[in-house]
Each structure stands twice: as C-alpha cells, then as structure tokens.
Amino acid sequence: MTKRLQDKLALVTGASSGIGRATAAALAREGAEVLATGRRKDKLQALADQSANEGARLRFVVGDIDEAAFVRALAEQARDADILVNSAGTLTYAPLLDMTDEEIDAMFRTNVIGTLRLSRLVGANMASRGRGQIIMFTSLAA
C-alpha cells in the first residue's frame, strides 16, 4: 500500500467512535500523522494503541468541541493541519416533542457551533498557507 498522505497532518474530531474513529484510522494507515479528538479517553487510547500496532502515527487529545477554550487550544495544536475532518456530534434519542431546551442546546453547541469554530480557526491557518482540506460530516440534528 502506498502512503498517499505521508507528511500530512490530519485533525479528526469525534474520533472515539463511529465515522470519526474509522476516518482517523484510515488516514493514519495512509501515512498521515493524525491528531484525534473526542470525549472518551478509553476509546481514543484504544484507537491510538491499534494505530501503533499497525505502525501508524496517531496521537489524541481528550475534550469536548462545545467548549470554546478547548477548541482554541485544539486549533493551536493543529495549526499545521493539512486536513480537518469534523465528525463530532451528539444526538438525543427522543422524539422532538419530548426533547428539552437543554438537550437541543447541547446538540447545537456540539454539532454546529463547535464545528464551525474549529473550522474557522484551522481554516484560517490553511488559508494563510494556501492549502488544506476541511471535510464536514453531519447529521439531521445539525
């Protein structure tokens, strides 16, 4: 297998499970150095261990992208990112009419606001270098 993403840095949100986890693992296998983030340390550690066993480069940082201070710190760590994959998301599994304002606010903070904040900060660095890719995964909730 060729390492098509050798010497590239990829930041992947929502990497502790689902599409984010699969994406982070795939990017690492293709040679990218991956900075994976999510809320669940045990899941991120398992991903990092798996990647290390495969000879891939993946490190992680635990945090929640609905926290503005975390997003700023994460963007600083990923200031040289060539690829940003936004796949963090949260969903309340309930009929809309049964959801509380707090549940709706939490979904919006993570699925929309956090993602846009991070994209703006990382995207500004990409724009100043004249290169980079931002990929957005979202759900009906976003």
Side-chain angles (χ1 to χ4, degrees):
M1 174 187 301
T2 62
K3 301 285 187 174
R4 295 179 293 183
L5 299 176
Q6 195 71 38
D7 301 323
K8 301 291 184 187
L9 173 61
L11 169 59
V12 181
T13 68
S16 56
S17 66
I19 293 170
R21 186 183 201 293
T23 301
L27 290 169
R29 280 192 304 273
E30 286 296 326
E33 176 187 350
V34 176
L35 176 58
T37 188
R39 295 176 298 200
R40 294 175 287 184
K41 182 178 181 180
D42 60 327
K43 302 281 188 180
L44 292 169
Q45 184 64 62
L47 175 60
D49 293 345
Q50 173 192 334
S51 295
N53 290 338
E54 296 173 354
R57 298 175 301 155
L58 185 142
R59 59 189 166 96
F60 67 89
V61 60
V62 178
D64 198 330
I65 69 163
D66 73 356
E67 297 171 3
F70 174 73
V71 168
R72 285 190 299 274
L74 181 62
E76 183 59 32
Q77 288 185 55
R79 69 178 298 102
D80 296 325
D82 300 289
I83 303 165
L84 167 59
V85 179
N86 281 304
S87 63
T90 187
L91 178 64
T92 298
Y93 292 95
L96 177 63
L97 299 180
D98 295 338
M99 292 174 63
T100 66
D101 285 346
E102 292 78 19
E103 290 168 331
I104 292 169
D105 288 347
M107 284 192 329
F108 198 78
R109 277 192 316 272
T110 297
N111 299 358
V112 178
I113 295 172
T115 296
L116 291 177
R117 272 189 187 128
L118 185 59
S119 296
R120 177 175 51 95
L121 294 170
V122 173
N125 290 329
M126 289 175 173
S128 72
R129 292 189 319 269
R131 68 179 193 285
Q133 297 177 326
I134 298 176
I135 301 162
M136 310 281 261
F137 289 105
T138 190
S139 68
L140 182 59

